[in-house]
Amino acid sequence: MELADVLATNKALVKVAKLYRSAQAEVLSGLALHPGQDVLLWMLGQEPGGVTVSEIAARLGVEQPTVTRSLTRLEHGGWFVRQSVPGDRRATRITLTDKGLSTIPEIEAAWRTLAETATAGIATEQQAILIGLLEKVRENLLTLTDESAG
């Protein structure tokens, strides 16, 4: 790859990543959420019986302390409740409250806004190609990181 192409590629990826994260933060701020918290709450919304911290970590592909920190930040918002797991004193089951459950459609609407805004003016066929290309970029970048899930 020529240096000009290297520079253009890096510049485009950095600009899009930063701008997407900024737009995501702006859209989620209307729900009193920060990026990452939406994914956590949405995942909890898919589990009406609740899930343990270790199950959340496994599904999100992160370490348990990361989940614990995220939950601690969300806890005062009344989004979920913690319940002990019978037979396992160390485990805690996380279940969304009515407030948390009612936020799930709003999170999905925020995601729709982000996706539709990001792909405005791009034909449906081109959107499918874009998704494939972004997945390939992600796959390529995984070879440079320790990240293996998500």
Side-chain angles (χ1 to χ4, degrees), residues 6 31 47 49 63 71 73 82 85 95 100 106 125 139 143:
V6 168
L31 302 176
E47 299 292 339
E63 299 294 324
L71 290 171
R73 290 182 189 119
R82 296 178 192 253
V85 175
T95 307
E106 296 176 63
E125 301 80 28
E139 181 183 305
T143 65

mmCIF file of all heavy atoms in Angstrom, residues 6 31 47 49 63 71 73 82 85 95 100 106 125 139 143:
data_model
loop_
_atom_site.group_PDB
_atom_site.id
_atom_site.type_symbol
_atom_site.label_atom_id
_atom_site.label_comp_id
_atom_site.label_asym_id
_atom_site.label_seq_id
_atom_site.Cartn_x
_atom_site.Cartn_y
_atom_site.Cartn_z
ATOM 1 N N VAL A 6 -2.139 4.728 2.791
ATOM 2 C CA VAL A 6 -2.026 4.443 4.224
ATOM 3 C C VAL A 6 -2.580 5.617 5.023
ATOM 4 O O VAL A 6 -3.400 5.457 5.933
ATOM 5 C CB VAL A 6 -0.563 4.161 4.630
ATOM 6 C CG1 VAL A 6 -0.390 4.156 6.140
ATOM 7 C CG2 VAL A 6 -0.090 2.850 4.025
ATOM 8 N N LEU A 31 -31.068 9.575 26.964
ATOM 9 C CA LEU A 31 -31.588 8.494 27.806
ATOM 10 C C LEU A 31 -30.845 8.426 29.136
ATOM 11 O O LEU A 31 -31.063 7.500 29.915
ATOM 12 C CB LEU A 31 -31.440 7.144 27.082
ATOM 13 C CG LEU A 31 -32.114 7.018 25.720
ATOM 14 C CD1 LEU A 31 -31.788 5.671 25.097
ATOM 15 C CD2 LEU A 31 -33.613 7.219 25.833
ATOM 16 N N GLU A 47 -33.085 -10.969 28.781
ATOM 17 C CA GLU A 47 -33.072 -12.037 29.779
ATOM 18 C C GLU A 47 -34.039 -11.708 30.913
ATOM 19 O O GLU A 47 -33.630 -11.187 31.950
ATOM 20 C CB GLU A 47 -31.660 -12.210 30.351
ATOM 21 C CG GLU A 47 -30.625 -12.595 29.332
ATOM 22 C CD GLU A 47 -30.835 -14.004 28.790
ATOM 23 O OE1 GLU A 47 -31.507 -14.819 29.455
ATOM 24 O OE2 GLU A 47 -30.327 -14.268 27.689
ATOM 25 N N GLY A 49 -35.397 -13.363 33.190
ATOM 26 C CA GLY A 49 -35.086 -13.993 34.468
ATOM 27 C C GLY A 49 -33.804 -13.470 35.093
ATOM 28 O O GLY A 49 -33.435 -13.893 36.183
ATOM 29 N N GLU A 63 -14.139 -8.701 30.873
ATOM 30 C CA GLU A 63 -13.809 -9.271 32.174
ATOM 31 C C GLU A 63 -14.902 -8.911 33.196
ATOM 32 O O GLU A 63 -15.557 -7.876 33.076
ATOM 33 C CB GLU A 63 -12.460 -8.745 32.661
ATOM 34 C CG GLU A 63 -11.302 -9.098 31.751
ATOM 35 C CD GLU A 63 -11.020 -10.590 31.699
ATOM 36 O OE1 GLU A 63 -11.174 -11.264 32.742
ATOM 37 O OE2 GLU A 63 -10.655 -11.081 30.613
ATOM 38 N N LEU A 71 -21.965 -1.825 36.068
ATOM 39 C CA LEU A 71 -23.182 -1.957 36.875
ATOM 40 C C LEU A 71 -23.197 -0.946 38.018
ATOM 41 O O LEU A 71 -24.240 -0.357 38.322
ATOM 42 C CB LEU A 71 -23.307 -3.381 37.411
ATOM 43 C CG LEU A 71 -23.629 -4.455 36.375
ATOM 44 C CD1 LEU A 71 -23.507 -5.846 37.007
ATOM 45 C CD2 LEU A 71 -25.005 -4.260 35.767
ATOM 46 N N ARG A 73 -21.881 1.984 38.041
ATOM 47 C CA ARG A 73 -22.206 3.297 37.478
ATOM 48 C C ARG A 73 -23.696 3.419 37.168
ATOM 49 O O ARG A 73 -24.256 4.506 37.245
ATOM 50 C CB ARG A 73 -21.391 3.547 36.215
ATOM 51 C CG ARG A 73 -19.927 3.767 36.504
ATOM 52 C CD ARG A 73 -19.149 4.069 35.225
ATOM 53 N NE ARG A 73 -17.729 4.073 35.489
ATOM 54 C CZ ARG A 73 -16.850 3.255 34.926
ATOM 55 N NH1 ARG A 73 -17.234 2.371 34.048
ATOM 56 N NH2 ARG A 73 -15.575 3.328 35.237
ATOM 57 N N ARG A 82 -30.189 -6.134 42.038
ATOM 58 C CA ARG A 82 -29.284 -7.263 42.279
ATOM 59 C C ARG A 82 -29.993 -8.231 43.216
ATOM 60 O O ARG A 82 -30.596 -7.815 44.206
ATOM 61 C CB ARG A 82 -27.991 -6.789 42.936
ATOM 62 C CG ARG A 82 -27.151 -5.868 42.092
ATOM 63 C CD ARG A 82 -25.915 -5.429 42.875
ATOM 64 N NE ARG A 82 -25.217 -4.349 42.239
ATOM 65 C CZ ARG A 82 -24.057 -4.475 41.612
ATOM 66 N NH1 ARG A 82 -23.469 -5.657 41.555
ATOM 67 N NH2 ARG A 82 -23.478 -3.430 41.056
ATOM 68 N N VAL A 85 -28.025 -15.368 44.382
ATOM 69 C CA VAL A 85 -28.327 -16.624 43.699
ATOM 70 C C VAL A 85 -28.342 -17.732 44.742
ATOM 71 O O VAL A 85 -27.324 -17.962 45.399
ATOM 72 C CB VAL A 85 -27.273 -16.916 42.600
ATOM 73 C CG1 VAL A 85 -27.510 -18.286 41.976
ATOM 74 C CG2 VAL A 85 -27.275 -15.822 41.553
ATOM 75 N N THR A 95 -31.287 -8.223 37.325
ATOM 76 C CA THR A 95 -32.572 -8.212 36.636
ATOM 77 C C THR A 95 -33.009 -6.769 36.431
ATOM 78 O O THR A 95 -32.930 -5.956 37.355
ATOM 79 C CB THR A 95 -33.644 -8.954 37.469
ATOM 80 O OG1 THR A 95 -33.148 -10.258 37.799
ATOM 81 C CG2 THR A 95 -34.942 -9.098 36.702
ATOM 82 N N GLY A 100 -35.843 -0.035 33.667
ATOM 83 C CA GLY A 100 -34.874 -0.593 32.728
ATOM 84 C C GLY A 100 -35.553 -1.217 31.526
ATOM 85 O O GLY A 100 -35.143 -0.992 30.383
ATOM 86 N N GLU A 106 -36.374 2.445 23.713
ATOM 87 C CA GLU A 106 -35.710 3.726 23.492
ATOM 88 C C GLU A 106 -34.257 3.521 23.057
ATOM 89 O O GLU A 106 -33.738 4.279 22.231
ATOM 90 C CB GLU A 106 -35.762 4.582 24.755
ATOM 91 C CG GLU A 106 -37.176 4.975 25.158
ATOM 92 C CD GLU A 106 -37.198 5.740 26.469
ATOM 93 O OE1 GLU A 106 -36.609 6.837 26.516
ATOM 94 O OE2 GLU A 106 -37.810 5.233 27.438
ATOM 95 N N GLU A 125 -28.297 -1.909 -1.067
ATOM 96 C CA GLU A 125 -27.275 -2.864 -1.501
ATOM 97 C C GLU A 125 -25.885 -2.410 -1.040
ATOM 98 O O GLU A 125 -25.061 -3.228 -0.638
ATOM 99 C CB GLU A 125 -27.273 -3.020 -3.031
ATOM 100 C CG GLU A 125 -28.590 -3.494 -3.618
ATOM 101 C CD GLU A 125 -29.636 -2.373 -3.756
ATOM 102 O OE1 GLU A 125 -29.264 -1.184 -3.905
ATOM 103 O OE2 GLU A 125 -30.824 -2.695 -3.695
ATOM 104 N N GLU A 139 -12.335 -7.882 11.604
ATOM 105 C CA GLU A 139 -11.628 -9.168 11.624
ATOM 106 C C GLU A 139 -10.124 -8.962 11.446
ATOM 107 O O GLU A 139 -9.315 -9.567 12.152
ATOM 108 C CB GLU A 139 -12.187 -10.032 10.493
ATOM 109 C CG GLU A 139 -11.602 -11.402 10.358
ATOM 110 C CD GLU A 139 -12.205 -12.132 9.153
ATOM 111 O OE1 GLU A 139 -13.447 -12.236 9.091
ATOM 112 O OE2 GLU A 139 -11.433 -12.570 8.288
ATOM 113 N N THR A 143 -6.519 -9.239 14.598
ATOM 114 C CA THR A 143 -5.220 -9.914 14.562
ATOM 115 C C THR A 143 -4.145 -9.110 15.303
ATOM 116 O O THR A 143 -3.101 -9.649 15.629
ATOM 117 C CB THR A 143 -4.740 -10.168 13.115
ATOM 118 O OG1 THR A 143 -4.493 -8.915 12.463
ATOM 119 C CG2 THR A 143 -5.764 -10.982 12.338
#
